Amino acid sequence: MAINTKTQRHKSRLYVPLWVRILLLAALNLTILAIVSVIFLRLQLRPELESFLMAEARERIGSVTQLVVADLQSTDISHWTEVLGRYSREYGVTFLLYRNTGEQLAGPATQLPPEVDVRLPRGGPPPPPRGEFGPPPGPGPGFFAPPGPPFLAVSKSEPQYWIGVRMPFIEGPNHESLRSVLMLVSPTFFTNPFFFEMRPWIMTGAVVIVISVLCWLPLVRNLTHSIADMQGATAHIAEGHFEVELKARRNDELGSLGTSISRMAARLKTLTEGRKRFLGDAAHELRSPIARMLLAAEILERDAQPSARKYIGDLKDDLNMMSQLTDELLQFARAESALKSPELLPVNVLEAVQTAARREAADGADIRIDVDPAIVVRGNMEYLVRSLGNVLRNAVRYAGDQGPIQISAHRKNQQVQIIVADSGPGIPEDALDKIFTPFYRLDDARDRRTGGTGLGLAIVRTCIEACGGTVECRNRRPSGLEVIIRLPAA
């Protein structure tokens, strides 16, 4: 029961193809490498990581700063907050202006966080001589001192991201030179397009993924195709078909494994054919001596003293068992040797069932048949009758006195199911797949009289598979056993 439970759990697992697993592993590998790279850069660059990431925004920040400087220079200081508010609405960030000593000059009143205050550029170039404020001569806007490079400060409080730019000297309310810093403040960084452009990074990631897939896909495809070929070959071998040959297309371990599978299949084919020949020849050669011994035993029994007839009767029983064994061996060998060349014709299921039931009926056995006379399968009458006979013989032997034996048949799509059900004790769940194995018996302690030869159901499977069908069995609830034969409908 534990074995069957383990098998059911294994079958219930989600099937994921090998190539999908390999590609998922490659994707996981890339993700881990990306995370490790980000952590490494973070540790190495520390607060400058975001500055590194916003490298493409530096030029845009510088251009906007020059526009802000031009507007502030041409606007009265009392209206600077309005000017910064207009830029805030246009670019989606908050523009604030501070002295380089930390006092706020314009913009919504905002306390400068300590993490930002320590980053303020306290120094700067000397102020221009009085009277030299304003644009230089020549076309276009500009000032004597360009804006400084932007720097990023990350605050622990909201808003978190502060981008500062050292402003050129502008004229204050008392015509003094103001050393100031323009702050661009945002609660987000990576999702704000003014600071960080996601598109280049997304395109770079997509290119990396495409290149990785193009590098991995041929290898994965080649591996999975080779494994699929070997899987198909081993499945054929497991079903008893040894005509398998894997082409040696690889010069690695998988190629060696494929060659080994082909050699194993050839070796198994040789051994199996030798076993079939031996079983057939041995059974054929034993039939005549056993028949002669049975005849001699009959003669001895007729002329023997009454005290010796008991021993002669035991001898006859043993000879009959040997005769039955040789007959089953011969049937099994013939059925296996004819796997490729049975004559498949339309067979009426009801006729085959009735024939088998007449042969295997025993005193006290209640065999009930419920088969539509119109059901016809494509198969071999001799093989089907022999298979049904062996199944009925087991049912009568082990469950004939425990209830009726029911034989039914119905058509399902392009197949016909023939079910032989009894009310016996059934068999252990872990033996359901083994009872069709040659010479397998549920209890090794049983002798030939109580446990049979172990060939009856093996002959059933061989004959049914020779007709292009399948056979399986399952336990009934609360008790009993069902043997299900499936054959193609005619």
Side-chain angles (χ1 to χ4, degrees), residues 153-204:
V154 182
S155 172
K156 296 180 180 179
S157 59
E158 294 292 339
Q160 187 175 7
Y161 294 96
W162 295 65
I163 287 84
V165 183
R166 179 180 58 77
M167 296 279 282
F169 286 101
I170 57 178
E171 186 175 357
N174 298 321
H175 303 286
E176 78 275 15
S177 300
L178 287 179
R179 285 187 172 94
S180 58
V181 178
L182 180 65
M183 304 300 300
L184 286 69
V185 184
S186 174
T188 61
F189 180 82
F190 294 100
T191 58
N192 193 323
F194 184 80
F195 297 139
F196 185 76
E197 286 286 346
M198 289 290 294
R199 183 177 300 176
W201 293 90
I202 294 176
M203 293 296 296
T204 302

Side-chain angles (χ1 to χ4, degrees), residues 100-127:
N100 63 349
T101 56
E103 298 86 1
Q104 187 172 357
L105 292 172
T110 306
Q111 180 67 35
L112 200 64
E115 298 89 354
V116 182
D117 184 69
V118 297
R119 298 290 304 277
L120 291 179
R122 305 296 182 183

Side-chain angles (χ1 to χ4, degrees), residues 113-428:
E115 298 89 354
V116 182
D117 184 69
V118 297
R119 298 290 304 277
L120 291 179
R122 305 296 182 183
R130 180 177 294 275
E132 295 186 4
F133 292 103
F143 289 89
F144 291 108
F151 64 91
L152 174 67
V154 182
S155 172
K156 296 180 180 179
S157 59
E158 294 292 339
Q160 187 175 7
Y161 294 96
W162 295 65
I163 287 84
V165 183
R166 179 180 58 77
M167 296 279 282
F169 286 101
I170 57 178
E171 186 175 357
N174 298 321
H175 303 286
E176 78 275 15
S177 300
L178 287 179
R179 285 187 172 94
S180 58
V181 178
L182 180 65
M183 304 300 300
L184 286 69
V185 184
S186 174
T188 61
F189 180 82
F190 294 100
T191 58
N192 193 323
F194 184 80
F195 297 139
F196 185 76
E197 286 286 346
M198 289 290 294
R199 183 177 300 176
W201 293 90
I202 294 176
M203 293 296 296
T204 302
V207 170
V208 170
I209 292 174
V210 170
I211 293 175
S212 300
V213 169
L214 292 178
C215 293
W216 277 86
L217 192 59
L219 173 63
V220 172
R221 188 168 182 172
N222 198 1
L223 284 174
T224 53
H225 280 188
S226 299
I227 294 174
D229 291 342
M230 288 185 283
Q231 181 184 15
T234 53
H236 277 79
I237 294 173
E239 294 296 328
H241 307 291
F242 304 112
E243 295 79 10
V244 172
E245 183 177 359
L246 292 171
K247 297 181 180 179
R249 295 177 297 184
R250 304 178 62 94
N251 296 321
D252 54 10
E253 290 83 355
L254 287 179
S256 300
L257 179 59
T259 302
S260 299
I261 292 175
S262 298
R263 292 174 57 192
M264 178 184 68
R267 179 64 174 166
L268 287 173
K269 182 180 180 181
T270 301
L271 295 175
T272 303
E273 289 179 348
R275 179 181 62 85
K276 292 177 184 178
R277 286 195 301 268
F278 171 76
L279 289 177
D281 293 345
H284 186 272
E285 294 297 328
L286 287 173
R287 293 185 74 184
S288 296
I290 292 175
R292 289 195 296 269
M293 284 189 286
L294 278 171
L295 179 59
E298 291 285 351
I299 297 173
L300 283 174
E301 186 179 26
R302 185 176 56 192
D303 298 334
Q305 297 293 330
S307 58
R309 288 179 181 175
K310 176 181 178 301
Y311 302 105
I312 297 176
D314 293 339
L315 176 62
K316 287 174 60 179
D317 290 341
D318 289 339
L319 290 173
N320 284 324
M321 291 294 300
M322 292 178 63
S323 178
Q324 179 186 352
L325 175 60
T326 54
D327 288 342
E328 290 186 356
L329 281 173
L330 191 58
Q331 291 177 11
F332 179 69
R334 286 175 177 174
E336 281 201 324
S337 62
L339 276 175
K340 292 185 179 180
S341 56
E343 185 178 4
L344 301 182
L345 298 171
V347 177
N348 186 278
V349 175
L350 180 58
E351 293 180 5
V353 170
Q354 290 175 338
T355 302
R358 283 195 302 268
R359 292 181 181 177
E360 303 301 332
D363 293 340
D366 182 9
I367 300 177
R368 301 178 184 180
I369 300 174
D370 181 18
V371 179
D372 187 345
I375 296 180
V376 179
V377 297
R378 184 168 182 79
N380 183 281
M381 174 63 84
E382 179 185 354
Y383 282 10
L384 182 56
V385 171
R386 184 184 302 167
S387 300
L388 290 170
N390 287 354
V391 173
L392 282 173
R393 188 180 309 129
N394 281 349
V396 170
R397 175 183 297 172
Y398 299 112
D401 58 347
Q402 300 185 34
I405 299 171
Q406 300 173 341
I407 307 175
S408 60
H410 63 275
R411 179 166 179 163
K412 185 177 182 180
N413 297 328
Q414 298 300 315
Q415 279 191 332
V416 173
Q417 283 193 166
I418 306 172
I419 302 176
V420 181
D422 61 49
S423 302
I427 62 176

